Structures are given as structure tokens and as C-alpha cells.
Amino acid sequence: MIKALLKKQLLELLSHYIPKDKKGKPRRGISLVLYALLLAYVIFILSFSGYFTANILCVPLSASGLDWLYFAVVGIIAAIFGIMGTVFASQSQIFDAKDNDTLLAMPIPPKKLLFVRALSLYIQAFFFEAVIMIPGIVVYVLNVKLEVTSIITSSMTVFLLPVFTLALSLILGWLVTLVGGKVRNKSAVVTVLSLMFFAVTFYLYSKINVILMTVANNGERIAGKIKNVLYPLYQMGKGASGDIKSFFIFALIIAIFFGAVYFILSRSFILLATSSRGVKKKKYTAGKMKARGASSALINREIKRFFSSPTCILNFGISSIMLIVAAVFMFVKASSFERLIEISPEIANIAPAVIAAAACLIGSSCVYSAASVSLEGKTMWIIESLPVSMKSVIISKLKLQIALSLPAALVFTTAANVVMKPPLLYTTLTIVTVTAYFVFFGACGLVLNILAPNLNWSSEAAVVKRGMSVTVSIFGGWGIVVLLGVGYYFLSRIAPVWICLSACSIVLALAASAAIIWLMRRGVKRIAFI
Amino acid sequence: MLRIEGLTKIYGDKKAVNDLSLHINPGEIYGFIGRNGAGKTTTIKACCGILRPDLGEIYVDGISIKDNPIECKKRMAYIPDNPDLYEYMTGIKYLNFVADIFEVGRAEREELSARYADGLGLTDDLAQPISSYSHGMRQKLAIISALIHSPKLIIMDEPFVGLDPKASHVLKTLMREICDGGGSIFFSTHVLEVAEKLCDKVAIIKDGKLIISGPMEQALGGASLEEVFLESEGEDRL
């Protein structure tokens, strides 16, 4: 039984990471190769950042005889990564899994089902943590010692640590499920909880250098505190650095912790997975219905679609929030920027290009249009069977994309211009360039999604997070900004700033027009029979 | 009201629908029978402008669906076999959305949605998100949304699946009322007893080809629809 369940679970896990075509079949050929390259690139970047972080800590801590603290810190970073990667999967893949009812109706003991699901989550946690832990071990071996015991214990820790992460994710997923089940607006709760979680993570990440330097310089003082307060962490670090006794103590602590969580959850799993958790039913009382035009109904539909989904809000809305935060940051640090311009007046000349590039780079994660067709999913028949022109449907998607991305980008651009005080002509051209970019970017995302839609998804994360058109849009957007930057650099050697900025806006406006013309001519025909 | 002429749809090397022609007059309920995979849903989807035919023409109220799909869609309503609706809307918001698209006046949408929701027993649940609806409730909502704009032609794919006995009865009554008022209904079903009692005309499709079509009495020739259908299936009969 376990074998059959495990096979199903692994196939499901694998299917999350394999790109699909519009009929839900795994992609082959060049698109699969591109996807594999992209995955390898992400793994490389994460591993490289793990290696870089470990390098800062390794030598100073080891020189003070605090090898265990080095592994403890690397372990904490890895665990944070693991929790980030699995906490929401814990809710969607374990407690709210779509096949819970089907499987629980079969003669499968809930504890076995929970075990198999937890194992799948463990695999995900393992990969998230391994990209940090393995570079950490490599740095230690290269800089400190090549000792069989420490290699074995640290390698075993790579397998052991995700068990801790798994237990924590199970608890958090259980809490999110419980809280989400008690409130009417579940997506708002999930969004707020996620934003809080990301805010804390971003704050810690922005302070990472300070934290790492503090740990490296005050190792002994911190070590003393950890030994007393975070005993398991001390044993983990000591065990990973080669102390066999500590390794077994850590393993025992993890086993007891996970065992307790598993025992408690397996007893309540069937109740959690199948009950509606007491949301009070709201009885309809007939009232006045609001009539609006078809175009406004279509836009309203897109808005509802976006704001009903925490996945959409978190993935596509985060860059707009970051742009607003960056705008506030510009004002907070205004005096520093003013001083910078006083010291190097030539900065005023490159500032417009840097501001525009920053706005475009940060805002390029807002790619709702690149998922908007796929998000129709199995409801595509509705829009296809209604008497609406596909042009209106496309326009409604594009309007929402621009409304989500452009205002925040303009707030940042304006704030940065106010602080950096370039001439008015430069400010105007920067605003025009940023506007042209976001219209082009939104239209291109929609073109890509019409060309490569995926309507057969079971979890919207498949199109929002891992969709081919979304991935290509984000990286393509960054690539275009870099290309324009290179062009700007060479042009600026022979032409004044206003010509360079005008050239960028003209290129982007032309590209945006071409994309919109395609959408209005060929896009409307394609989307009608997707 | 609905004229299908030489409809052909090919998937790969398989002809899902092969040179199918049908004519549905105003006031008629036309049943469409066939085993799974016979080509019913493909035909229905082509009639609704969701699927592009490879050959043939479809006219709704004399208008070609190929040339003027929007005008055709304004005159008809479609209810699919498995109504996946917008889960992020409540039932009433979905009805309002459909009414907005069809530009139904406020008073009319209020009256029609109340009438059909009461009849099908969905009124109390209209404030619930569609994500909490059962299959039958979704089916009822899809039916109400199809009727809210008083279409001249209703095309339904397995409309009785998932409906409770009362809702089934109400739907049958509504179908007859709509056709008595000059509307037309084209629907597929596997419930042969219902088709036999309800339909004015019947068509049986096998492997994409229409093998029987015409007025019910003429098609049955004294036998039951079940007998005629099983006979048409020939060697596959158990």
C-alpha cells in the first residue's frame, strides 16, 4: 500500500516540476531543454549564494574554534530556505490536497497517507536545504579540514535537517489550514500571513551582511548564548563538525520532535482533511443587482480573479509593493543621494537611465498577463461561448496588467526623480520610457500566454509560478532591460542624454505597438479557439 | 433556428464528426443521442462557436457562426456537461456577470434570476462562493445563467447529470415552456426515457455520422428509443 501511495505521490510531485503543453502533456524537445537550463541556473544561483555566505563565516569562526557555530548558522539559513519552500506546500499538498476525499474513502489508514505526503514534502525540503548546506560543507572542507568523520556527519546532517523543517512546516501548514477554515475570506488571510512571512524574511535578508559580520566578529559571545538557549542547534552544529555523540543527540532530538508532531497530526488528519471547519453559511437575500456594461464586467472579472488568489497576489503583486517600498526608501535616504550628487555631479547624467532601469527591473515580476489566459483553465468555455469579442477579453487582461504594474513603477520613478533632481526634460523622458516599457511588457506577456497557454492545471501555481510564459516573460523582461542598457551606454558616448532616453522610449513604444497589433489581429483569432 | 450543414471535425486522422447535417426549427426540442465518444460534444461545441469546424457551416437564426459568431452567441445559451464556473465568484455575482455580458436590464435580471433560482432550489445558496458548490448546484447555476437572458436557442450537453429529481422535473417543465414560447432546444443525453418523453425530434450519432434523425414517432416506428438506439449500435449490443 505504502509503495503504491508513494508512487502516486512522487508522480504528482514530479508533474509539478515538468512543464506542460496546453493539453496537459509534458513538453518535449527544445522547451524542455530550456526549462532544464533555467532550473539549473536557479540552482546554481542559490548554491553560489550559499557558497558566498559560507565563505564569509567559515574561516573566522573556525579560527576561534567555533566550527560548530559555523554549521549552526549555515543550518539556520538552510532551514529558513526549506521552510520558505515548503510551508505553503504543506497546506496545499497535505491538508487541502484535492484527492484527500478519494484516498480517505479507500481502506488507507490516515497515518499512512500522512506519512507518504510528509515524505513528498521532505523531498522538497531536502532540495531547498541541500543548495545551502552542500556548498557550506564544501567551503568547510576546502578551508578548514578534510576529515572523514566530519564529512560523514555533516553529510548526514543534510538529510537530517529537512526532517526538522518538515515538522515545522507541518505545524505551520496545520495552523494555516485551521485559521483559513475559520474565516470567510480565506485568501485574504493566506495573503496577509504570507506577506508577513515574506516581510520578515526580506528584512532578515537585507540585514544578512550585518548579521553574518556580527556572528563572525562576536562568535564566542553568540556561541555562549546559543549553547544555553538553543541546545539542539548547538548539538546540530557540533555534530556536523564531526562530533559523533552530538550528532546522535541531535538525531534523537529531531526524531522525538518529528515523532510527536506526526503522532498528533495523524490522529486529527482525517478530521482536518475532510471537514469544512465551521464556516458559517451565508444565506442569500435578494437585493438590487448592479448592471454594468460588458467591458466593465470583463475587467471586473479579471480584478476578482486576481484578488481571489493569494498565489497571484504574492507572485505578481510583490514587485509593485517593492517599488512602493523603494520609492519610500528614496525619500528616507534623500540626503544621502543629494550628498552623492554633490560629490559626483556627473551622476545626474546617468541617474535617469538608472532610475528607469531600476523601475523596469523591479517591476518585471508583475506578469499577470503572461498567466491570465492559462488562469482561465477549464472555465475557458464560458468566455468562448458568451457574445463578447475576444478583443474586449484581451483588452481587459491588458488593462489589469498595466494597472497592476505601471502606477507603482511611476510612483518609484517620480520619487527617484524628485530626490535625484535631474532636468525636467530627463524626468519626462524617464516617465515616458517606463510607461512604454510596462505597456510593451504587459502586451508581450499576453502574446506569450496566447501562444503557449496551459489550461489543464490542477493547481494554479503550475501556471503562476512555473508557467512557461511567466518564466520567459520575467527573464525576457530583464534581458530587454539589459540590452537597452547596453545600447544606451554606447549611444551615450556619442549623443546627449535626452537623445538616448528618447531612443529608448521610441524603441519600446514601437515594440509595444507591434505586440498590441499582433494581439488585435492574430491574438483574437487564436484565443477564440484555444 | 439551428442549421448544421455538412459539419466535419477531424482530430489527427480520426473524423470525430463526419458530414453531419441537422435542422432544428423554432419550438422544437431536439434530442441528440450517441454512445460515449460518438461525436456529440464535438458537434455541440462547434454549434456554440467554441470549436472551429474543419468543414461545413452552422447557422443560428440564419446567421453563420463562422462569419458572425457574436450575433449568433447573443441568440443562444450553452450548458456544458461539466460546468466549470468561476470559483472566485459567488453564485449571484456569476449571474450578474452573465447578465452584464448579455446586457440584460436590471429589473429583468432580478426577476428572472429569482424565478429560476427559486424553481431550481438554489436561492439560499446564491451568496455562497461557487467553489463551495456541489456538481448539482453548479449545474443549476449554469442553467439559470443560460436562461437569464431569454435565449432563442439553448444547447445543452447532458443537462440532467447531477440534478436532483425535483430540479430535473423543473428543468423538463422549463424546456417545454421555452419551446412552447417559440424557443428551440438542442441537447444531448444518455437518459433515453427522458429523451423519448420530452423531445419532438431525435438524432442518433455513431462514430461521428448521423444514422437516424427526424420526428420522434417517425424515428421510433413503434419501438422504444432504447430499442432503436441499441439496434443502431448493431454488433456492439450485449
Side-chain angles (χ1 to χ4, degrees):
Chain A
M1 179 190 289
I2 289 270
K3 204 175 155 189
L5 282 172
L6 196 59
K7 197 175 166 191
K8 178 213 83 81
Q9 202 65 35
L10 291 178
L11 280 173
E12 197 177 294
L13 180 63
L14 204 65
S15 77
H16 284 310
Y17 291 93
I18 290 180
K20 314 258 186 344
D21 64 13
K22 64 181 174 184
K23 286 185 177 165
K25 288 179 186 163
R27 287 187 185 274
R28 292 176 194 282
I30 189 81
S31 53
L32 190 62
V33 173
L34 285 174
Y35 188 78
L37 283 174
L38 188 68
L39 212 61
Y41 170 72
V42 172
I43 291 171
F44 171 77
I45 291 291
L46 290 175
S47 304
F48 181 75
S49 65
Y51 183 89
F52 181 75
T53 309
N55 231 355
I56 296 174
L57 290 172
C58 189
V59 175
L61 288 180
S62 180
S64 316
L66 294 169
D67 301 44
W68 70 266
L69 184 58
Y70 165 73
F71 278 108
V73 174
V74 173
I76 289 174
I77 298 170
I80 290 173
F81 250 76
I83 292 168
M84 273 177 74
T86 55
V87 64
F88 294 108
S90 151
Q91 188 221 352
S92 61
Q93 292 174 22
I94 295 185
F95 300 106
D96 280 349
K98 286 197 169 183
D99 56 355
N100 269 345
D101 287 356
T102 313
L103 293 176
L104 286 168
M106 294 177 184
I108 301 168
K111 61 181 180 185
K112 284 190 180 172
L113 186 56
L114 180 65
F115 175 77
V116 171
R117 295 237 157 107
L119 196 60
S120 157
L121 205 62
Y122 167 83
I123 294 169
Q124 294 168 69
F126 172 80
F127 280 109
F128 277 105
E129 293 183 17
V131 292
I132 301 294
M133 281 297 281
I134 291 172
I137 296 169
V138 171
V139 168
Y140 187 74
V141 168
L142 292 177
N143 290 298
V144 183
K145 60 181 175 187
L146 180 63
E147 192 185 273
V148 178
T149 325
S150 71
I151 291 175
I152 291 173
T153 53
S154 58
S155 303
M156 293 299 283
T157 308
V158 178
F159 289 94
L160 209 52
L161 194 63
V163 181
F164 165 75
T165 310
L166 169 67
L168 217 56
S169 288
L170 284 174
I171 295 172
L172 290 171
W174 172 68
L175 282 175
V176 171
T177 311
L178 266 187
V179 175
K182 293 281 178 202
V183 292
R184 184 163 291 278
N185 200 342
K186 192 175 169 182
S187 61
V189 172
V190 175
T191 307
V192 170
L193 287 175
S194 311
L195 282 175
M196 282 163 61
F197 182 74
F198 285 128
V200 172
T201 313
F202 273 122
Y203 176 76
L204 290 176
Y205 193 75
S206 67
K207 298 276 176 195
I208 192 82
N209 275 338
V210 180
I211 295 169
L212 291 177
M213 293 319 288
T214 313
V215 171
N217 296 330
N218 304 283
E220 282 182 32
R221 194 165 53 82
I222 293 167
K225 281 190 180 172
I226 288 180
K227 262 187 206 174
N228 296 329
V229 184
L230 298 167
Y231 180 73
L233 194 64
Y234 167 64
Q235 293 299 344
M236 180 241 141
K238 213 159 175 245
S241 58
D243 187 318
I244 294 173
K245 189 182 157 201
S246 290
F247 174 77
F248 280 111
I249 291 173
F250 176 64
L252 188 66
I253 293 169
I254 293 288
I256 292 169
F257 179 50
F258 177 75
V261 171
Y262 177 71
F263 177 74
I264 293 165
L265 290 184
S266 62
R267 290 177 81 91
S268 56
F269 180 66
I270 196 157
L271 195 71
L272 268 169
T274 55
S275 71
S276 60
R277 293 180 283 282
V279 180
K280 206 177 167 190
K281 192 174 162 185
K282 192 177 165 192
K283 197 175 167 185
Y284 174 70
T285 42
K288 289 223 179 298
M289 288 172 88
K290 205 167 143 191
R292 48 164 77 87
S295 305
S296 137
L298 286 172
I299 294 209
N300 199 41
R301 181 186 76 114
E302 294 293 337
I303 294 170
K304 275 204 177 76
R305 179 73 187 86
F306 180 83
F307 285 103
S308 69
S309 158
T311 318
C312 281
I313 298 172
L314 293 170
N315 284 278
F316 302 143
I318 199 87
S319 62
S320 296
I321 294 171
M322 281 165 71
L323 279 166
I324 302 290
V325 172
V328 174
F329 177 81
M330 291 300 294
F331 283 120
V332 172
K333 295 281 178 186
S335 54
S336 308
F337 287 111
E338 281 161 10
R339 222 173 303 130
L340 191 70
I341 292 170
E342 275 172 24
I343 298 165
S344 327
E346 70 277 9
I347 285 178
N349 276 336
I350 59 161
V354 173
I355 292 167
C360 297
L361 284 172
I362 300 173
S364 290
S365 308
C366 182
V367 282
Y368 173 72
S369 63
S372 60
V373 177
S374 296
L375 278 169
E376 299 275 356
K378 290 180 177 133
T379 63
M380 193 71 197
W381 70 270
I382 298 175
I383 216 69
E384 284 177 342
S385 65
L386 290 176
V388 284
S389 70
M390 288 300 149
K391 204 181 261 187
S392 325
V393 174
I394 285 178
I395 289 170
S396 67
K397 290 182 186 301
L398 196 53
K399 274 187 180 169
L400 181 62
Q401 162 67 32
I402 292 171
L404 289 171
S405 57
L406 186 59
L410 290 182
V411 166
F412 169 76
T413 310
T414 311
N417 274 291
V418 168
V419 172
M420 305 293 269
K421 298 186 186 72
L424 189 61
L425 176 65
Y426 294 1
T427 302
T428 313
L429 286 171
T430 314
I431 288 172
V432 173
T433 307
V434 169
T435 306
Y437 174 79
F438 280 99
V439 174
F440 162 70
F441 183 67
C444 262
L446 200 47
V447 169
L448 286 170
N449 202 208
I450 289 174
L451 287 173
N454 170 13
L455 302 177
N456 286 295
W457 43 266
S458 52
S459 157
E460 61 187 15
V463 291
V464 173
K465 289 182 175 177
R466 301 181 292 273
M468 181 71 81
S469 41
V470 167
T471 313
V472 174
S473 288
I474 294 175
F475 285 94
W478 291 343
I480 284 162
V481 176
V482 171
L483 273 178
L484 281 172
V486 172
Y488 184 98
Y489 170 75
F490 286 112
L491 191 61
S492 66
R493 297 167 87 173
I494 52 166
V497 172
W498 72 270
I499 287 192
C500 301
L501 284 172
S502 303
C504 286
S505 3
I506 289 167
V507 167
L508 286 168
L510 286 174
S513 308
I516 290 171
I517 289 169
W518 188 93
L519 285 172
M520 295 300 128
R521 287 188 182 165
R522 303 189 69 174
V524 289
K525 286 181 189 158
R526 271 183 172 260
I527 200 173
F529 295 104
I530 276 177
Chain B
M1 181 56 65
L2 175 67
R3 205 166 78 237
I4 308 170
E5 288 178 358
L7 175 70
T8 301
K9 180 72 192 173
I10 303 165
Y11 293 114
D13 54 0
K14 194 200 167 195
K15 276 190 180 174
V17 180
N18 189 359
D19 195 25
L20 185 143
S21 296
L22 265 183
H23 190 186
I24 299 160
N25 296 309
E28 279 179 358
I29 300 182
Y30 215 122
F32 198 32
I33 319 286
R35 61 154 74 168
N36 295 331
K40 300 186 298 297
T41 301
T42 304
T43 307
I44 282 177
K45 283 187 173 176
C47 292
C48 299
I50 295 177
L51 214 62
R52 199 188 338 233
D54 293 310
L55 285 170
E57 273 286 356
I58 295 163
Y59 298 93
V60 176
D61 208 10
I63 305 164
S64 160
I65 197 147
K66 203 193 283 177
D67 299 338
N68 202 342
I70 292 182
E71 276 309 308
C72 290
K73 287 173 188 177
K74 277 183 184 170
R75 288 160 169 78
M76 68 160 112
Y78 166 56
I79 302 168
D81 54 345
N82 195 4
D84 288 296
L85 306 172
Y86 299 138
E87 298 206 339
Y88 48 90
M89 290 186 185
T90 59
I92 191 69
K93 285 194 172 145
Y94 179 70
L95 292 179
N96 216 22
F97 167 72
V98 176
D100 282 337
I101 297 292
F102 281 94
E103 294 168 338
V104 181
R106 208 179 74 187
E108 194 185 349
R109 71 177 72 179
E110 281 170 11
E111 190 218 316
L112 290 178
S113 60
R115 191 208 300 171
Y116 295 129
D118 281 347
L120 289 164
L122 195 69
T123 306
D124 285 353
D125 298 297
L126 284 178
Q128 299 296 323
I130 294 173
S131 55
S132 69
Y133 280 19
S134 66
H135 178 88
M137 288 159 83
R138 283 167 201 239
Q139 188 75 3
K140 288 176 185 177
L141 188 67
I143 293 167
I144 300 166
S145 71
L147 300 175
I148 203 168
H149 56 93
S150 313
K152 286 183 176 177
L153 168 69
I154 304 177
I155 298 177
M156 300 188 275
D157 200 355
E158 298 287 346
F160 298 102
V161 175
L163 289 185
D164 56 62
K166 192 193 165 203
S168 271
H169 173 73
V170 171
L171 178 61
K172 283 182 256 177
T173 312
L174 283 172
M175 286 165 77
R176 183 41 66 199
E177 277 176 14
I178 289 163
C179 290
D180 289 347
S184 307
I185 291 174
F186 179 48
F187 77 105
S188 73
T189 185
H190 290 300
V191 193
L192 300 181
E193 293 80 6
V194 170
E196 191 172 342
K197 282 184 190 157
L198 197 62
C199 298
D200 303 306
K201 286 184 177 173
V202 68
I204 298 178
I205 183 173
K206 185 184 178 187
D207 299 330
K209 283 201 100 128
L210 207 59
I211 49 170
I212 294 172
S213 70
M216 187 62 83
E217 300 77 25
Q218 193 184 314
L220 299 183
S224 72
L225 183 56
E226 188 178 35
E227 284 168 337
V228 173
F229 176 68
L230 292 175
E231 189 63 35
S232 70
E233 289 297 313
E235 70 279 12
D236 298 331
R237 193 174 166 177
L238 278 172

